[in-house]
Amino acid sequence: MKTTNFNIDNLIRPSIKALKPYSSARDEFQGTSDAMVFLDANENPFNNGVNRYPDPQQGDVKAILSEIKNVNSKHILLGNGSDEVLDLIFRAFCEPNKDNIIILPPTYGMYSVLANINAITIKEVQLSDSFQPQVEEILNITDGSSKILFLCSPNNPTGNSFSSESIETLLNKFKGVVVIDEAYIDFSKEKSWIDRLEEFPNLIVTQTLSKAYGMAGIRLGICYASTKIISVLNRIKPPYNVNELTQQKAIQQLSIKDLATNQINGILKERANLISELQSVSFISKIYPSDANFVLVKVDDASKRYDQLIDKGIVIRNRTTQPGCENCLRLTVGTKEENTILIKNLLLISKS
Ligand SMILES: *Cc1c(COP(=O)(O)O)cnc(C)c1O
């Protein structure tokens, strides 16, 4: 349990606190009866499946997610990808040209891009050699304007999860909001932090349908937090931020029993196969442990190996410029066939 007398109101930007949100037609009347005559939103009345504005609160999508994730809908906010969710968090808590955030490189690139867009200073504390958060350094670098700490766990591009002790210490001691980005949680042996929202009023967890759930194309990001934080984010989100086609597709896919679970299990099996096959590639000197659907490897010359794979028609991610990732390549786990092609070509170029 967070011991400090934490009050989220003290972290919200004054302009956001004072904001009177836009009230859409669907906010003011929420009935869904087909017998109703809807003449309130200036829509075209001829039905083509998308002539009406979508549900601004995405009630049906949230109901399914609530069941799958065992979290009450009132703790959920949806966005046009995690990227929109993260941007909303910036705009709720960080005052441009004044506040700062803390990130732990090497990590997901969007945190610093969003900080730059919002004119927020970035403080960095590099992960340890084993890619774990350096808790003391993080707390030491924190000041009164440090509003958000981003913890990406499992981390992209390293693939490992952060120790739960470190995360818990940071949740207890960090004075701002702690965002745990769980884009890869469904591939992890660790438990999600969404089960502990009640305990930590400063906790925000983000997830996505883009990875394990196979819906990168529909752009649906998920934010889990206290009702207080959710209501602040709701005030600033664009009214119809998740479109009708996205909502329909999400509902349709999430309703297929065991679909995601079976695919995740298949990917995990392939991850294990891939890791064991990678061991016979002579120029790979290190295979980092993975809790995600990708594997980071250290090679002799990342840029050379990257180019050689491109020549074979295989695209991976070169992460060599990231701190602590010199000569590292990130390999996404594909289908059995795709992974076989990757391994075959890695062995081929290792002999050339
Ligand atoms: C892929 C990824 C996301 C997903 O972003 P979307 O906008 O939801 O597609 C979020 N965080 C991390 C760390 C990722 O790697």
Side-chain angles (χ1 to χ4, degrees), residues 23-247:
S23 183
S24 71
R26 275 298 81 71
D27 286 327
E28 287 177 15
F29 181 82
Q30 293 170 2
T32 52
S33 164
D34 290 338
M36 292 273 178
V37 176
F38 285 104
L39 301 174
D40 59 346
N42 299 346
E43 296 148 335
N44 178 321
F46 299 105
N47 184 13
N48 61 9
V50 290
N51 59 310
R52 298 294 178 186
Y53 279 102
D55 174 2
Q57 280 300 320
Q58 310 98 16
D60 295 342
V61 184
K62 285 182 188 168
I64 295 192
L65 281 172
S66 163
E67 205 176 296
I68 294 173
K69 296 288 179 175
N70 197 24
V71 173
N72 192 299
S73 290
K74 67 180 195 235
H75 291 297
I76 304 178
L77 175 127
L78 302 180
N80 184 12
S82 310
D83 296 341
E84 183 184 49
V85 168
L86 296 170
D87 189 51
L88 291 174
I89 297 169
F90 268 96
R91 288 193 283 152
F93 297 106
C94 296
E95 199 62 38
N97 300 309
K98 176 171 173 283
D99 289 335
N100 66 74
I101 59 149
I102 300 176
I103 63 169
L104 316 181
T107 194
Y108 187 47
M110 273 313 282
Y111 314 136
S112 49
V113 171
L114 289 168
N116 288 331
I117 291 171
N118 287 290
I120 306 303
T121 303
I122 301 162
K123 292 188 180 227
E124 299 187 336
V125 182
Q126 208 179 310
L127 293 173
S128 70
D129 291 343
S130 54
F131 296 137
Q132 288 294 322
Q134 312 213 58
V135 175
E136 285 309 311
E137 283 83 345
I138 294 167
L139 294 172
N140 284 339
I141 206 178
T142 302
D143 63 33
S145 302
S146 303
K147 293 296 174 68
I148 311 174
L149 168 63
F150 285 97
L151 303 177
C152 186
S153 182
N155 186 42
N156 179 5
T158 60
N160 63 301
S161 297
F162 295 164
S163 91
S164 48
E165 295 77 34
S166 300
I167 294 179
E168 185 153 351
T169 306
L170 290 165
L171 278 166
N172 276 316
K173 297 200 171 160
F174 186 72
K175 297 283 199 302
V177 165
V178 178
V179 174
I180 306 182
D181 184 339
E182 293 188 338
Y184 299 98
I185 191 69
D186 299 284
F187 301 107
S188 171
K189 56 188 179 317
E190 300 292 327
K191 280 185 63 186
S192 168
W193 286 83
I194 57 178
D195 298 335
R196 306 193 57 187
L197 289 174
E198 306 284 349
E199 247 172 286
F200 303 106
N202 59 338
L203 169 60
I204 298 180
V205 178
T206 63
Q207 295 182 355
T208 178
L209 297 191
S210 297
K211 307 284 159 60
Y213 287 90
M215 287 180 265
I218 71 170
R219 312 304 303 125
L220 197 91
I222 312 161
C223 171
Y224 304 89
S226 70
T227 52
K228 264 191 175 174
I229 293 178
I230 295 295
S231 84
V232 174
L233 299 179
N234 259 322
R235 289 159 67 83
I236 58 178
K237 83 173 182 67
Y240 302 112
N241 63 327
V242 178
N243 74 70
E244 180 64 27
L245 297 177
T246 293
Q247 295 190 41

